[in-house]
């Protein structure tokens, strides 16, 4: 029971961390109001992008998990503190409006919270057998057991002489290992309770943001929209659908890609369709583009494709050629990573786990 | 999609892919109906307009139509997967492109529009919402169709698996014992306890259970884990000498079987001794003649050298 309580507290802590990371990139000048859900959404991607920047060089140099834990465990509170300091004035200014917003929409927000909590309880209390957990969770357990980063094969425990490039940039499970190390929590509890809860919260958050925009801030409609979407998630089930990933493989990066990243890009498209010149909107898209490869290497294929089919048509619809260039810039990180992987598969290079 | 190959299916691949993706569900059909609804009907009549009287169709078309058309021209174009597969191998992962279509978003949006824009009063709205939920529930398969399995513990692992790990560590005199398990436990044990090593990877196990092993491969003087897979996963009776050679060559000293496994007595007859049991599982031990003890790589010298 205590461990379950800790897992739930960590679930909330993660969302708070994302919020503070997000506040770093939220516009603070002028009369623009801070949107908490958008700050959490942006912060989630910034968090994982920064984590990858720290993690990958340490992993490449075969340094231990404990070193990464020390560095990232120090960096996160520092970043949050900096974020709090630089955002303090803005947060203070927004507080009355936020309180007013809460008062005005309390029944709807409470109902949204209830829907999310019920969904989290249903999913985290359920027993699921999924094959990919043999990699994703075992990778966390293996990293902790060996105090290494991606050097031992999660499936067998055998030492690997080179890094598997499919997972080299998708270091999402290594963040799990860092937190398990800091809080002395078992990877199964962390992945299948804490991260699963966060994944569902973020999924509903993106649905909430989308609904709010579609219904121009009408919270009653937004709430029904979230309810309908969640009901469908329980019934749109085959082994391939986004809903299945959400409800059975909740804690995997692929689940986040399917239910947070891609709907998130669609949300950004809605923003861009109203203002395709907004630097903030493009910045948000770029943040998603650089943060999502850390979650799953499938992002390298899906994000450029999503931008191409969703965002690029704005070039014609808005008669704005700059949309193409800005889209290409957002696609570039994934395209580079995809080409890197192709080069690896074709045998052009290997990153060894020992000096040669 | 393991069961589908773009080279074999050709231009019909996308249709087969969609069929497998939906498995008889009609969410794609509802998506198309919803698209037509929000782009043509919704907002056309006063009852379906926004409260301020504005027509929502123009905005809805801008939001949902361009992406739908682009998806139709690319992802759902029968030529596209064939073309793409000639550059990258997308056989297994092409279905993920279908994730880009905002099926749930659009259907939920259309549903809310129906409820709020056509219902004049709360009761009618409530009835419409319930009806729509019923439609959504019957449009596909429920995740808990076969019942809701409550996790036995906070690890979301079978309680017996945790006991098996304890038995192995209690019996073993090494930090990293290697054990062979049946399918489910093989996929789960290292999620719980990474100090237990396995003789074969997930792919090797899947290859065996999906018919990838023949007599020649099982008896080959390489990949000795195939002998363990033959006995434990495929219930093939191997000679004692062949099986024990498999254990020796892979440094496997434990075999964990369910008590209902037909091979139990056969394996015991080859000299493996029971060292513990749970309600439904038995842990067998084999005394390795020669053991290459597993230890973690020491990188401290490498770091000292400045790498």
């Amino acid at each position: 029971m205590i461990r379950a309580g800790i897992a739930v507290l960590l679930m909330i802590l993660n969302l708070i961390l994302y919020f503070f990371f997000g506040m770093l990139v939220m516009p603070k000048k002028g009369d623009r109001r801070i949107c908490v859900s958008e700050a959490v959404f942006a912060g989630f991607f910034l968090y994982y992008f920064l984590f990858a920047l720290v993690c990958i060089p340490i992993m490449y140099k075969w340094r231990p998990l404990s070193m990464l834990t020390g560095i990232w465990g120090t960096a996160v509170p520092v970043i949050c503190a900096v974020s709090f300091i630089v955002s303090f004035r803005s947060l203070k200014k927004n507080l009355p409006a936020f309180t007013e917003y809460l008062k005005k929409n309390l029944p709807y927000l409470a109902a949204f919270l209830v829907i999310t909590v019920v969904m989290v309880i249903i999913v985290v209390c359920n027993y699921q057998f999924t094959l990919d957990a043999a990699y994703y969770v075992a990778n966390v357990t293996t990293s902790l057991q060996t105090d290494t980063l991606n050097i031992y094969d999660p499936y067998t425990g055998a030492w690997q002489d080179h890094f598997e490039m499919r997972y080299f940039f998708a270091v999402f499970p290594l963040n799990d290992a860092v937190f398990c190390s800091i809080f002395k929590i078992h990877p199964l509890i962390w992945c299948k309770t804490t991260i699963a809860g966060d994944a569902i919260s973020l999924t509903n958050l993106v649905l909430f943001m989308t609904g709010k925009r579609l219904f121009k801030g009408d919270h009653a409609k937004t709430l029904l929209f979230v309810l309908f979407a969640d009901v469908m998630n329980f019934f749109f089930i085959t082994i391939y659908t986004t809903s299945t990933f959400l409800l059975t493989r909740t804690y995997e990066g692929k689940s986040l890609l399917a239910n947070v990243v891609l709907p998130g890009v669609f949300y950004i498209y809605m923003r861009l369709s109203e203002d395709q010149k907004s630097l903030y909107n493009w910045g948000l898209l770029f943040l998603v583009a650089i943060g999502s490869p850390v979650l799953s290497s499938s992002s390298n294929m899906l994000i450029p494709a999503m931008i191409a089919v969703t965002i690029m048509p704005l070039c014609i619809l808005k008669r704005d050629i700059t949309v193409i260039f800005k889209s290409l810039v957002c696609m570039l990180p994934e395209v580079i990573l995809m080409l890197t992987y192709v080069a690896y598969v074709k045998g052009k290079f290997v990153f060894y786990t020992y000096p040669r | 999609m393991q069961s589908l190959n773009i080279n074999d299916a050709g231009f019909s691949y996308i249709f087969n892919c969609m069929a497998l993706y939906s498995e008889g569900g009609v969410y794609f059909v509802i998506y198309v109906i919803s698209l037509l609804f929000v782009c043509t009907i919704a907002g056309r009549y006063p009852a379906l307009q926004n409260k301020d009287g504005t027509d929502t169709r123009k905005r809805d078309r801008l939001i949902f139509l361009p992406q739908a058309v682009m998806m139709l021209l690319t992802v759902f174009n029968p030529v596209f997967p064939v073309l793409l597969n000639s550059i990258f191998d997308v056989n297994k992962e092409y279905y993920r492109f279908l994730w880009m279509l905002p099926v749930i978003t659009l259907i939920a949006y259309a549903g809310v529009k129906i409820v709020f824009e056509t219902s004049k009063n709360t009761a009618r709205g409530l009835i419409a919402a319930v009806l729509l939920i019923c439609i959504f529930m019957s449009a596909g398969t429920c995740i808990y169709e076969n019942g809701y399995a409550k996790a036995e513990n906070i690890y979301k692992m079978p309680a017996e698996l945790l006991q098996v790990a304890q038995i192995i560590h209690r019996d073993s005199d090494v930090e990293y014992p290697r054990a062979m398990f049946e399918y489910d436990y093989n996929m789960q044990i290292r999620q719980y306890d990474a100090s237990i090593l396995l003789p074969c990877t997930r792919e090797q196990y899947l290859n065996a259970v999906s018919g990838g092993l023949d007599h020649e491969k099982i008896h080959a003087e390489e990949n000795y884990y195939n002998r363990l897979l033959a006995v434990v996963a495929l219930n093939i009776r191997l000679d004692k000498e062949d099986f024990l050679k498999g254990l020796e060559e892979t440094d496997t000293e434990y075999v964990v079987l369910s008590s209902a496994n037909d091979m139990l007595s056969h394996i015991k007859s080859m000299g493996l001794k029971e060292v513990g049991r749970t309600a439904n599982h038995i842990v067998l031990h084999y005394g390795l003649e020669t053991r290459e003890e597993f230890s973690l790589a020491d990188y401290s010298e490498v770091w000292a050298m400045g790498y």
Side-chain angles (χ1 to χ4, degrees), chain B residues 163-172 177 179 181 196 254 256 283:
Chain B
Q163 295 166 11
V164 164
Q166 269 185 348
I167 292 170
I168 291 174
H169 282 300
R170 202 172 53 218
D171 183 71
S172 177
F181 294 86
I196 293 178
Y254 292 95
V256 181
V283 182

Side-chain angles (χ1 to χ4, degrees), chain B residues 38-49:
Chain B
V38 298
C39 293
T40 57
I41 301 167
R44 191 172 177 182
Y45 303 103
L48 293 166
Q49 286 173 352

Side-chain angles (χ1 to χ4, degrees), chain B residues 36-286:
Chain B
L36 292 172
F37 172 72
V38 298
C39 293
T40 57
I41 301 167
R44 191 172 177 182
Y45 303 103
L48 293 166
Q49 286 173 352
N50 277 333
K51 276 180 183 166
D52 59 7
T54 54
D55 190 336
T56 55
R57 282 177 300 168
K58 194 178 170 192
R59 182 170 158 263
D60 290 347
R61 280 182 199 144
L62 178 64
I63 291 174
F64 293 106
L65 208 52
Q67 199 226 24
V69 172
M70 287 296 284
M71 287 286 282
L72 197 65
L73 293 174
T74 55
V75 175
F76 293 103
N77 182 342
V79 181
F80 189 70
V82 179
L83 202 68
L84 192 63
N85 197 53
S86 64
I87 307 165
F88 303 110
D89 178 10
V90 289
N91 264 302
K92 284 183 188 170
E93 293 171 350
Y94 191 82
Y95 75 90
R96 288 185 196 158
F97 284 115
L98 306 188
W99 289 355
M100 298 192 297
L101 203 64
V103 175
I104 285 180
T105 304
L106 178 55
I107 297 175
Y109 178 57
V112 175
K113 275 189 105 62
I114 290 169
V115 171
F116 274 89
E117 313 295 357
T118 62
S119 305
K120 294 283 184 204
N121 58 51
T122 313
R124 277 173 62 182
L126 207 63
I127 292 166
V130 172
L131 277 174
L132 280 168
I133 287 175
C134 290
I135 291 171
F136 299 152
M137 287 165 74
S138 55
T141 309
C142 177
I143 179 83
Y144 306 122
E145 192 187 35
N146 300 319
Y148 180 83
K150 193 173 177 300
E152 291 179 55
N153 48 51
I154 195 163
Y155 301 108
K156 321 277 186 292
M157 286 279 133
E160 279 192 53
L161 181 95
L162 279 55
Q163 295 166 11
V164 164
Q166 269 185 348
I167 292 170
I168 291 174
H169 282 300
R170 202 172 53 218
D171 183 71
S172 177
D173 50 6
V174 294
E175 193 184 351
Y176 291 95
R178 186 170 277 117
M180 182 71 197
F181 294 86
E182 289 168 343
Y183 182 81
D184 280 18
Y185 277 21
N186 195 81
M187 304 303 168
Q188 291 176 311
I189 187 70
R190 286 186 52 79
Q191 293 178 48
Y192 173 67
D193 185 349
S195 67
I196 293 178
L197 308 176
L198 300 177
C200 58
T201 66
R202 183 187 69 167
E203 303 312 319
Q204 288 157 353
Y205 214 114
L206 288 174
N207 175 53
V209 296
S210 57
L213 285 188
D214 54 24
H215 183 272
E216 196 179 325
K217 282 179 184 163
I218 292 167
H219 291 89
E221 293 297 320
E222 58 177 2
N223 301 334
Y224 289 96
Y225 54 80
N226 282 336
R227 300 183 183 193
L228 311 188
L229 285 166
V231 176
V232 174
L234 305 178
N235 286 8
I236 297 172
R237 283 177 179 267
L238 292 190
D239 292 342
K240 179 179 175 181
E241 195 183 318
D242 287 342
F243 182 65
L244 296 188
K245 175 107 189 210
L247 291 173
E248 285 286 350
E249 292 292 332
T250 56
D251 282 320
T252 306
E253 53 181 331
Y254 292 95
V255 176
V256 181
L257 296 177
S258 59
S259 40
N261 192 310
D262 293 339
M263 301 304 284
L264 191 58
S265 57
H266 178 60
I267 292 177
K268 275 185 173 177
S269 73
M270 291 191 280
L272 277 78
K273 289 194 173 62
E274 183 178 326
V275 291
R277 64 165 63 207
T278 62
N280 297 298
H281 286 83
I282 293 164
V283 182
L284 302 165
H285 177 255
Y286 170 70

Side-chain angles (χ1 to χ4, degrees), chain A residues 134-154:
Chain A
Y135 178 84
Y136 293 108
V137 183
N139 190 18
V140 184
T141 324
T142 304
S143 301
L144 281 167
Q145 177 69 38
T146 58
D147 193 21
T148 58
L149 300 165
N150 278 347
I151 285 179
Y152 289 87
D153 182 359

Side-chain angles (χ1 to χ4, degrees), chain A residues 154-167:
Chain A
Y155 295 126
T156 62
W159 180 77
Q160 302 177 118
D161 68 354
H162 67 278
F163 290 107
E164 175 48 64
M165 289 307 289
R166 191 175 166 191
Y167 304 110

